[in-house]
Amino acid sequence: MTSTTAMMPSSSFVNNKKEDLDIFLTTLESKLRLPFSSIDMAKAVTQTKGMEPEEYLTNVQKVFHRMDKVTKVRVLIALLGLDPDEDTDTIIYDLYTEAINDNEVGPVDW
């Protein structure tokens, strides 16, 4: 008989994951504060050492709700520079859907 606590991640594992996402978000925001093009961001996604593009985009998706409006818009613009790929298209679509449903990034009233 398997214990349910044996299947649960330890609190240190969860804290490490949260810290990793905090570091990821800080790094991403610092990159986006600098002048960049969507091609530069596409390169960052596809050429991040130790991380597959799907993992990178999944991390973006996990921290998207914590970004300020300007950073969110820059991320969305940057995603336009990515080549179509079955593995990443679903994640990108989900990010755009989240952005549309997010009041902070919603339509701009002129």
Side-chain angles (χ1 to χ4, degrees):
M1 187 159 83
T2 308
S3 167
T4 56
T5 56
M7 296 188 311
M8 297 292 292
S10 69
S11 61
S12 63
F13 176 77
V14 172
N15 288 337
N16 288 340
K17 283 293 205 183
K18 183 180 180 326
E19 289 172 13
D20 289 347
L21 285 176
D22 290 343
I23 292 168
F24 177 83
L25 177 59
T26 302
T27 304
L28 181 63
E29 287 177 333
S30 67
K31 284 181 185 178
L32 294 177
R33 285 189 191 107
L34 303 172
F36 77 99
S37 70
S38 58
I39 294 170
D40 295 332
M41 189 62 177
K43 286 180 186 175
V45 170
T46 58
Q47 298 175 357
T48 301
K49 293 187 189 301
M51 202 180 284
E52 294 293 321
E54 299 83 18
E55 183 181 2
Y56 189 95
L57 290 172
T58 299
N59 285 343
V60 169
Q61 191 173 24
K62 288 178 183 177
V63 298
F64 190 78
H65 68 282
R66 295 171 45 195
M67 296 176 188
D68 63 22
K69 183 177 184 175
V70 173
T71 305
K72 286 180 180 180
V73 171
R74 286 182 169 220
V75 165
L76 296 174
I77 291 169
L79 294 176
L80 294 173
L82 294 177
D83 291 328
D85 181 327
E86 287 182 22
D87 296 331
T88 59
D89 284 352
T90 302
I91 299 168
I92 293 170
Y93 177 80
D94 291 343
L95 278 166
Y96 281 115
T97 302
E98 183 177 342
I100 289 169
N101 294 328
D102 185 354
N103 291 332
E104 288 187 32
V105 183
V108 177
D109 293 327
W110 296 101

